[in-house]
Amino acid sequence: MLETAIRKGLRETGRRMTRTRKAVLALLERTHEPLSASEIFAQLQQAQVAIDLVTVYRTVNVLKELGLVLQLDLFQEGQSRYELKEGRKHHHHIRCQICGRIVDLLLCPLKKLTKLIEERTQFVVDDHTLEFTGFCPKCQ
Ligand SMILES: [Zn+2]
Ligand SMILES: [Zn+2]
Ligand SMILES: [Zn+2]
């Protein structure tokens, strides 16, 4: 079903489902962690997909334009990460201080706090950021 939606999006903007786009989407679909372009590149190379880094950047940008992929700039890493938009609402992330692994926390616990802030400040809150760091099971 995801693939049908993607094909439709591509067709509507005059683009085709190339092997590269398919490979990047499939990788993001089975990865539950936001990946950087160089990680996507490394993993596709490992999977014997013929691709270069420039093509990875171009591909994630096309997928982002189509609204299929989210670009995340997290933890002041100085590099963007990408994750599939499908099935993900607003959520937060945790990063391992040792290995740099980032895991999705598919939740947001800030509803009450947001309401409190609005009451106290008379602001209308439209967004927030919240990042966790720690030590993953492998690095503890
Ligand atoms: Zn770790
Ligand atoms: Zn995420
Ligand atoms: Zn949140």
Side-chain angles (χ1 to χ4, degrees), residues 1-12 68 86:
M1 207 181 108
L2 175 63
E3 199 173 317
T4 317
I6 290 163
R7 278 182 194 284
K8 193 165 165 273
L10 286 166
R11 212 180 318 120
E12 279 167 3
L68 301 169
E86 174 91 9

Side-chain angles (χ1 to χ4, degrees), residues 98-121:
I98 308 281
C99 69
R101 183 177 162 213
I102 293 181
V103 175
D104 269 351
L105 308 170
L106 293 175
L107 53 86
C108 176
L110 294 183
K111 281 210 178 86
K112 261 191 187 162
L113 182 61
T114 301
K115 224 180 143 204
L116 187 69
I117 290 167
E118 289 188 331
E119 279 169 12
R120 292 256 170 102
T121 65

Side-chain angles (χ1 to χ4, degrees), residues 5-132:
I6 290 163
R7 278 182 194 284
K8 193 165 165 273
L10 286 166
R11 212 180 318 120
E12 279 167 3
T13 53
R15 294 181 171 106
R16 286 176 307 116
M17 177 62 109
T18 61
R19 199 183 300 175
T20 312
R21 285 169 190 162
K22 202 170 171 174
V24 171
L25 282 167
L27 174 64
L28 290 174
E29 199 174 12
R30 62 174 183 268
T31 310
H32 299 286
E33 297 169 18
L35 300 177
S36 68
S38 46
E39 285 170 345
I40 292 170
F41 173 60
Q43 293 208 27
L44 289 180
Q45 265 198 327
Q46 244 176 24
Q48 316 283 330
V49 179
I51 196 167
D52 57 65
L53 190 55
V54 176
T55 310
V56 171
Y57 275 110
R58 212 177 287 144
T59 303
V60 288
N61 274 317
V62 168
L63 297 173
K64 193 182 87 181
E65 275 171 36
L66 291 171
L68 301 169
V69 162
L70 290 171
Q71 178 179 343
L72 309 165
D73 295 287
L74 304 166
F75 302 99
Q76 300 182 312
E77 284 187 308
Q79 64 172 354
S80 297
R81 290 178 175 273
Y82 303 89
E83 66 183 10
L84 220 54
K85 202 168 172 180
E86 174 91 9
R88 282 184 180 83
K89 287 185 212 156
H90 165 85
H91 64 278
H92 297 279
H93 300 92
I94 185 164
R95 181 177 195 267
C96 176
Q97 299 271 40
I98 308 281
C99 69
R101 183 177 162 213
I102 293 181
V103 175
D104 269 351
L105 308 170
L106 293 175
L107 53 86
C108 176
L110 294 183
K111 281 210 178 86
K112 261 191 187 162
L113 182 61
T114 301
K115 224 180 143 204
L116 187 69
I117 290 167
E118 289 188 331
E119 279 169 12
R120 292 256 170 102
T121 65
Q122 306 296 307
F123 273 55
V124 176
V125 175
D126 73 334
D127 199 11
H128 61 253
T129 53
L130 177 67
E131 297 180 338
F132 295 87

